[in-house]
Amino acid sequence: MRISVIGAIVILAAVCALNVQADEKPTRERWFLKLEHSPLRTVVLHDAGGNARAYHYMTMKVTNGTKFDRQWHPLVKAVTDTKQDLVAGGFTDALAAIRKAERKAGLVPIGTTAGKLKAGASVDTVAIFGPVDPLYDHINIQVFGLVDPIATYKIEQYGDKSTADNVVLGENSVVVDSAYWDRNLKILKRLKAAAAEAGGEVPQPHVEYQEVAESRYWSMDYERLGDEFNTEEDIIRFKKEGWKVKGDAKGLRVISTESLP
């Protein structure tokens, strides 16, 4: 079976990433908080005039399974394909109905849980997004604050190399981590096209191990198909979830370098 240049590079990157995890000792241990969550749901409230209003919400349990207390500063957003961008906060008028629907009398709004989360402790909380645009088909839930923003990554440089005075993490830098998959694929496709036009092959990268700062969040995709009428009765279907990074990561320092054979 013939493997493309991009395929070979991606496979090589994955193998190298596994080797780094197995053999390299990180300069600092990155912490993660554990997230458990319900499906994305709605609860319907009625005003004094009998008018119905649907609130989207998601219950969450966040656990600090590390050995140390961690600062927990949650930010939870809902972004629709109709370009609505909602931050979970407020809408406490829906809290009693949500507690009843979930049979969890101790649920508290997620904004009230911010602060120090002790080692081994958990919080049971709910992110309430309020009324959402009835025209949406796809909605993405983003949970920030679950992970240390500083990480160490293997960086494959296909352009400029870092120097003592300039850490390079740019448009030709491949970050060997699954959260950067889409970004890396675009870079490698562009490099392959440029190499083909020049009649050559994609060059071997210069490899650096960098400490970087990033805005990483847990992403959850859902869809709700149908028209804008009686949307509270439409089924919200889970599609996928995983880590993503918002914006561009920033290289802080180079820890070490190596050459590929």
Side-chain angles (χ1 to χ4, degrees):
M1 179 176 66
R2 184 174 179 270
I3 300 177
S4 67
V5 173
I6 290 180
I9 293 173
V10 171
I11 291 171
L12 177 60
V15 171
C16 290
L18 292 174
N19 289 337
V20 170
Q21 292 175 359
D23 301 331
E24 294 290 329
K25 293 183 178 180
T27 56
R28 56 179 284 167
E29 183 178 355
R30 193 180 197 188
W31 56 263
F32 290 81
L33 302 179
K34 180 182 177 182
L35 172 67
E36 301 170 77
H37 64 87
S38 73
L40 182 62
R41 294 180 172 135
T42 59
V43 64
V44 179
L45 302 183
H46 294 85
D47 61 21
N51 299 309
R53 198 176 192 189
Y55 290 73
H56 281 57
Y57 73 91
M58 177 182 286
T59 64
M60 299 178 181
K61 182 178 181 179
V62 178
T63 303
N64 177 9
T66 74
K67 298 178 181 178
F68 302 97
D69 297 351
R70 302 296 180 187
Q71 289 300 319
W72 162 237
H73 296 294
L75 172 63
V76 184
K77 300 175 65 177
V79 181
T80 70
D81 57 349
T82 57
K83 303 189 183 304
Q84 189 178 27
D85 195 328
L86 300 168
V87 175
F91 306 110
T92 54
D93 53 326
L95 185 57
I98 292 171
R99 286 172 171 170
K100 182 178 180 180
E102 296 293 326
R103 299 181 180 178
K104 290 184 177 180
L107 278 179
V108 294
I110 196 162
T112 67
T113 66
K116 184 173 290 187
L117 188 58
K118 293 187 176 297
S122 298
V123 291
D124 280 307
T125 183
V126 58
I128 309 174
F129 302 104
V132 178
D133 185 351
L135 295 177
Y136 86 80
D137 290 324
H138 301 277
I139 187 168
N140 175 244
I141 307 300
Q142 304 173 359
V143 185
F144 294 84
L146 294 168
V147 59
D148 184 355
I150 307 301
T152 300
Y153 290 129
K154 177 179 179 178
I155 310 296
E156 296 181 347
Q157 303 283 25
Y158 289 92
D160 295 334
K161 302 177 183 179
S162 296
T163 66
D165 300 322
N166 181 38
V167 179
V168 175
L169 187 55
E171 62 178 9
N172 292 319
S173 303
V174 169
V175 183
V176 183
D177 184 87
S178 61
Y180 292 85
W181 176 266
D182 292 338
R183 176 185 179 277
N184 292 341
L185 204 57
K186 291 178 182 178
I187 293 173
L188 294 169
K189 283 184 177 179
R190 174 166 46 78
L191 292 171
K192 181 184 178 183
E197 185 175 349
E201 297 181 352
V202 176
Q204 289 292 316
H206 169 72
V207 174
E208 302 172 355
Y209 295 92
Q210 291 186 15
E211 190 172 74
V212 308
E214 65 178 10
S215 180
R216 177 177 285 242
Y217 62 94
W218 189 254
S219 170
M220 295 166 275
D221 289 326
Y222 294 84
E223 72 173 10
R224 185 191 65 185
L225 304 180
D227 57 32
E228 68 273 28
F229 302 104
N230 300 317
T231 55
E232 68 276 6
E233 299 177 2
D234 292 335
I235 297 174
I236 302 175
R237 291 183 173 85
F238 170 79
K239 301 301 291 183
K240 62 181 179 179
E241 63 185 328
W243 289 112
K244 288 191 177 181
V245 176
K246 182 177 179 63
D248 296 324
K250 177 178 176 55
L252 301 177
R253 66 188 179 102
V254 176
I255 298 170
S256 64
T257 63
E258 72 176 36
S259 297
L260 289 177

